[in-house]
Amino acid sequence: MSEVTVVTTAPVRAVSLFGRLRALIVPLLAVFTAVLIGSVFIVLTSVFSDTGASIGENLVKGVQTAGAAFSGLLNGAFGDSSGLTRTLVKTTPLIFSGLAVAFAFKGGLFNIGAQGQLAIGSVTSAWVGFAIQVDLGNPVLSAVVHVTLALLAGMLGGALWGAIPGLLKAYTGAHEVITTIMFNFIATNLIAWLLYAGSPGEGIPPGPLNDGNGVITRTPTIYPTAQLPVIYDPPGPQALHLGLFLALIAAIVILLVLTRTTFGFELRMVGLNPTAARYSGISVKRITVLTMIIAGALAGAAGAMQTLGVNYRYEPNQSLGLGFDAITVALLGGNNPIGVILSAFLFGAMDAGSTRMQFNSGVQSEIIVVIQALILMFVAAEEIIRTVYRIRGAGGPAQKLSTGWGQR
Amino acid sequence: MSGDVASAVKTNRTTVTAMILIVAILVVAFLAAGAVGPAIVVAVINASIRGTVPIALGAMSGILSERSGIVNIGIEGMMLLAAYVGFMINVGLSSSGAPTALQAEPVRLILSILGGVLVGGLTGLLHALLSIRYKVDQIISGTVINTLALGLTGYFYLAGATTQGRLPPVISNPFKQDAGLLFWIGEIIFNKGLVTYLMVLVVITVTIALFRTPWGLRTRAVGEHPRAADTLGINVHRLQYTNLFFSGCMAGLGGVFLTLEAVGIFERGMTNGRGFIALAVMIFGKWHPLGAAAGALLFGFATALQGQLQFFNIQIPHQFVGMLPYLLTVIVLAGFVGRARPPAHVGKPYEVE
């Protein structure tokens, strides 16, 4: 038996603080440029609006509207303790789902299915939250056990939903981009059936997880023991729950797994070059399935955050779009767990401030989606930003995700 | 003409398999019709065709793009933008402020279609620009287009904007007076809007163009081996830009079908995954236009079944029927109808030396 020694370990590069800050320049300028273009859209909307005023007046009004929009956005996100809490609560699931996408990317898999995994995770955690009553005599112990069980159930649900596309990819070559999207739709339909309120007139009974109140597709409320504990409760509707810290811990664990474990090394190697990984004795199939299971579990945890920390039940639309934002969050964060935390915070803030923005300025909150798309574009096409702002340097290594549609 | 006989035979086998599947389904449908009446069969077939058109056009979009080596997961966004623009042009030209000459229905609708198709084409060029000039990963570029389309159409969406009707049938049923079979055939074949017929034309044109013209040979060469194509004097990037423009146009045609022919209104996010299903169908058809069209028909039928199954009086929760098209796509992708081989160079940026 020949000994094969793998010399390469995680490259530990000494990067100066200045170097690290330089790496932030392009993403920051990308955000700035995207916001600028978003403002142009708002101004143009005003200029071409049919108010009967002159173009000049509309132009002034447009600039004012854009100003009101972004000051509303900032105020809604950071203006007071309630706003900041809202931002942090919105950041929490985005860290988890962003990690779900970033982790898969590291393994060379494009997980568009975070949305479905997240929704399934929300429902399974709600199910454990309302269907099981935990009473161990001690209220603290009961809560710890129940929340943990509910969270694990959410992760399990998400893991299952991620595992299927992973298995299909590994064993049949079905491309995860398409299968995970299909599983999003399948999840939507499955949940619609589970929570269906029923149609008494036609004799159709409610779905198995519906709360039985007759009109709304939602689960019953979870027991208080399954609620994530509140850490800080400012005046206003939103309270900060423990989830944020769980998300931060998860990010650090994922970082350590990726950089300090054999599995993480193998995963990154498969992500960089599956063929080379296979020749060096790594089971690409095993890594593929495991990657999708862990990614699904992370997305499931994101869903559980919404159920156990915010809504205390599963309601439709509680996680709408979270799984898709996760893709941009992951890419903006450079698929690095720490980067994911930062970009999740940015997205959480935009999300938290969007209601105030629309209320203050009348600007449709969809402009945020436009800005997010532009951010992703400018981060990916660094050269545009470098050209426009005359920044020298070759830029980081380009993202490589398109690996064709074949089997790995 | 290239003599890749082996691949042609394989492709034909898929097409034949798909055709057999479809015929089998239609036979089952007709047998069931004995119990439920021919009107429902006609309804199912018409709904199948309605479901097929945007998927087939989206798949043609994918084929043009991927045969020249560029992954296009932005079909969804291209469709959505075109659906919106086509719809808004129709709204604009229907308003009293529009020039009278343009308000007449055929002019207005054709301009709306052209506008939507052009926007699709321009979006295709954006995808090409990002992935060729700026070397953005093609999957990210496609995601940018999808997100951008969702945001833009949502932002500029005007609640309450309505159009004055949809594309009328090009020829209406010439067997109106007849009872029975001829009437049903007339309803299926003749009673369709312009885009449906265009779809058939597009599928045939793409098939011939891809396998019988110099352009097709060059496209396939670029998708398989751009270096070789380059050596032979083909301008790889120019060809990719052209193909991406037409790819966008086709997705655009699929998009305007939704707003101008199928439903007549625009809703946020109304493409609802059709662009991705089109990609799946493209893989199912092994990057061959006829195979993809057959796959689209299969998918259209699954969608139609969802809407029509209640007539068959089968006690399945409708949500499960709703899963059917997506499950079918997964099954297809998992290769249970044969392994697909993509163009060799798809997804990899090509650098001119």
Side-chain angles (χ1 to χ4, degrees):
Chain A
M1 277 214 285
S2 64
E3 285 284 311
V4 180
T5 324
V6 180
V7 190
T8 325
T9 49
V12 184
R13 270 175 303 171
V15 184
S16 66
L17 183 67
F18 182 68
R20 281 180 196 278
L21 286 176
R22 271 178 67 99
L24 280 176
I25 291 177
V26 171
L28 284 177
L29 284 174
V31 172
F32 171 74
T33 315
V35 168
L36 204 67
I37 295 177
S39 320
V40 171
F41 274 124
I42 296 174
V43 173
L44 286 181
T45 314
S46 173
V47 169
F48 290 106
S49 68
D50 215 6
T51 53
S54 72
I55 289 183
E57 284 166 348
N58 274 339
L59 193 64
V60 172
K61 197 165 154 282
V63 174
Q64 284 168 347
T65 311
F70 290 109
S71 70
L73 188 69
L74 285 174
N75 258 316
F78 308 110
D80 47 23
S81 58
S82 162
L84 190 60
T85 306
R86 196 161 49 237
T87 297
L88 292 176
V89 170
K90 300 266 189 200
T91 304
T92 303
L94 282 172
I95 294 178
F96 274 114
S97 57
L99 287 174
V101 179
F103 188 74
F105 268 140
K106 285 281 182 192
L109 294 164
F110 190 3
N111 179 19
I112 308 194
Q115 185 64 43
Q117 294 147 16
L118 195 147
I120 294 286
S122 294
V123 171
T124 46
S125 66
W127 179 63
V128 169
F130 74 77
I132 301 173
Q133 196 169 4
V134 178
D135 188 358
L136 301 170
N138 181 336
V140 177
L141 187 66
S142 308
V144 169
V145 170
H146 201 179
V147 168
T148 310
L149 282 179
L151 183 58
L152 286 177
M155 293 174 75
L156 200 65
L160 174 73
W161 220 246
I164 306 170
L167 286 166
L168 287 171
K169 169 89 176 186
Y171 290 97
T172 74
H175 201 273
E176 78 282 359
V177 165
I178 309 283
T179 49
T180 52
I181 292 168
M182 294 304 128
F183 268 79
N184 288 342
F185 287 105
I186 296 170
T188 309
N189 276 291
L190 179 67
I191 292 169
W193 172 70
L194 286 171
L195 303 185
Y196 185 52
S199 179
E202 295 169 42
I204 304 173
L209 298 187
N210 186 268
D211 71 350
N213 280 335
V215 277
I216 310 170
T217 52
R218 63 180 190 196
T219 66
T221 310
I222 58 173
Y223 285 108
T225 43
Q227 298 178 2
L228 279 166
V230 169
I231 295 171
Y232 173 58
D233 192 4
Q238 201 87 67
L240 185 64
H241 58 81
L242 188 68
L244 180 67
F245 296 93
L246 297 179
L248 295 175
I249 292 168
I252 291 163
V253 168
I254 291 296
L255 183 67
L256 293 178
V257 166
L258 282 173
T259 54
R260 297 276 183 275
T261 65
T262 317
F263 168 66
F265 171 73
E266 290 180 342
L267 178 137
R268 284 183 292 130
M269 199 159 163
V270 169
L272 289 171
N273 189 340
T275 317
R278 183 176 302 112
Y279 282 116
S280 66
I282 296 170
S283 166
V284 177
K285 285 184 169 58
R286 188 180 71 94
I287 298 288
T288 300
V289 177
L290 272 177
T291 307
M292 281 307 288
I293 286 177
I294 295 172
L298 287 164
M305 291 302 120
Q306 296 302 91
T307 294
L308 308 175
V310 179
N311 292 65
Y312 300 142
R313 56 151 51 105
Y314 180 83
E315 296 170 357
N317 301 347
Q318 76 174 23
S319 57
L320 209 67
L322 272 177
F324 296 107
D325 288 350
I327 297 165
T328 324
V329 164
L331 293 171
L332 185 61
N335 294 331
N336 171 318
I338 306 302
V340 165
I341 294 176
L342 296 176
S343 56
F345 182 69
L346 176 72
F347 271 56
M350 287 205 256
D351 198 5
S354 67
T355 319
R356 180 83 62 90
M357 181 195 81
Q358 187 158 357
F359 183 77
N360 278 10
S361 63
V363 172
Q364 294 286 335
S365 59
E366 269 90 353
I367 196 73
I368 301 285
V369 181
V370 177
I371 292 173
Q372 288 169 350
L374 291 171
I375 292 175
L376 177 58
M377 185 174 96
F378 289 134
V379 168
E382 242 183 50
E383 203 190 322
I384 300 179
I385 294 291
R386 288 185 182 277
T387 313
V388 171
Y389 296 97
R390 311 271 157 84
I391 301 171
R392 281 184 298 124
Q399 293 273 4
K400 190 182 142 298
L401 306 167
S402 317
T403 46
W405 303 104
Q407 198 172 4
R408 357 187 14 180
Chain B
M1 257 190 355
S2 79
D4 198 348
V5 181
S7 120
V9 170
K10 265 186 213 149
T11 313
N12 282 341
R13 202 181 297 152
T14 335
T15 317
V16 168
T17 317
M19 289 301 182
I20 290 171
L21 263 170
I22 289 159
V23 170
I25 289 167
L26 287 179
V27 167
V28 173
F30 274 103
L31 287 179
V36 292
I40 287 168
V41 178
V42 173
V44 170
I45 292 175
N46 274 341
S48 303
I49 295 172
R50 252 199 317 282
T52 302
V53 177
I55 307 285
L57 286 168
M60 296 309 122
S61 170
I63 288 171
L64 283 191
S65 174
E66 302 222 339
R67 281 280 186 171
S68 58
I70 294 186
V71 171
N72 190 358
I73 72 162
I75 297 172
E76 178 85 2
M78 297 174 186
M79 269 191 186
L80 189 62
L81 272 178
Y84 173 78
V85 170
F87 172 79
M88 285 313 287
I89 293 176
N90 195 19
V91 169
L93 294 181
S94 307
S95 75
S96 52
T100 338
L102 302 182
Q103 284 190 33
E105 187 163 85
V107 181
R108 170 163 59 82
L109 288 172
I110 285 171
L111 284 177
S112 309
I113 293 178
L114 286 177
V117 167
L118 188 67
V119 162
L122 292 176
T123 319
L125 283 181
L126 173 68
H127 184 43
L129 184 75
L130 286 176
S131 40
I132 298 169
R133 167 78 178 78
Y134 291 106
K135 297 185 197 75
V136 172
D137 183 276
Q138 293 160 16
I139 298 255
I140 297 184
S141 172
T143 308
V144 165
I145 285 169
N146 289 337
T147 318
L148 204 57
L150 203 62
L152 284 176
T153 56
Y155 176 69
F156 288 110
Y157 173 73
L158 299 173
T162 47
T163 48
Q164 316 230 325
R166 313 170 352 199
L167 279 170
V170 175
I171 323 157
S172 50
N173 188 352
F175 306 115
K176 268 203 174 89
Q177 313 307 321
D178 279 299
L181 193 62
L182 275 182
F183 178 82
W184 307 121
I185 290 174
E187 284 297 293
I188 291 166
I189 296 178
F190 298 107
N191 217 0
K192 295 280 175 289
L194 182 62
V195 183
T196 304
Y197 296 115
L198 278 178
M199 181 272 288
V200 178
L201 195 68
V202 162
V203 170
I204 295 169
T205 312
V206 171
T207 311
I208 294 172
L210 202 54
F211 296 102
R212 294 280 183 277
T213 67
W215 166 82
L217 181 59
R218 283 180 198 145
T219 296
R220 286 178 292 138
V222 166
E224 293 294 339
H225 203 315
R227 180 73 64 219
D230 196 356
T231 313
L232 292 172
I234 298 170
N235 187 334
V236 172
H237 288 164
R238 195 176 66 194
L239 183 110
Q240 287 178 329
Y241 273 105
T242 318
N243 278 20
L244 259 294
F245 176 75
F246 285 113
S247 166
C249 286
M250 281 174 199
L253 192 60
V256 295
F257 171 83
L258 293 175
T259 41
L260 297 177
E261 187 166 319
V263 286
I265 50 162
F266 181 85
E267 292 163 45
R268 288 187 168 100
M270 70 183 296
T271 40
N272 204 15
R274 286 183 182 85
F276 294 106
I277 292 160
L279 274 181
V281 156
M282 169 195 77
I283 295 172
F284 169 75
K286 301 190 173 174
W287 289 264
H288 191 292
L290 291 182
L297 199 57
L298 197 63
F299 193 88
F301 178 75
T303 322
L305 213 55
Q306 181 188 339
Q308 305 290 334
L309 206 69
Q310 45 191 324
F311 289 108
F312 292 99
N313 228 350
I314 298 170
Q315 293 297 324
I316 307 171
H318 67 90
Q319 295 93 349
F320 283 98
V321 189
M323 286 179 201
L324 206 63
Y326 309 112
L327 279 173
L328 186 71
T329 307
V330 171
I331 291 168
V332 163
L333 275 184
F336 297 116
V337 284
R339 180 70 32 84
R341 197 189 71 84
H345 207 265
V346 76
K348 299 163 194 146
Y350 174 69
E351 302 249 12
V352 181
E353 277 180 347

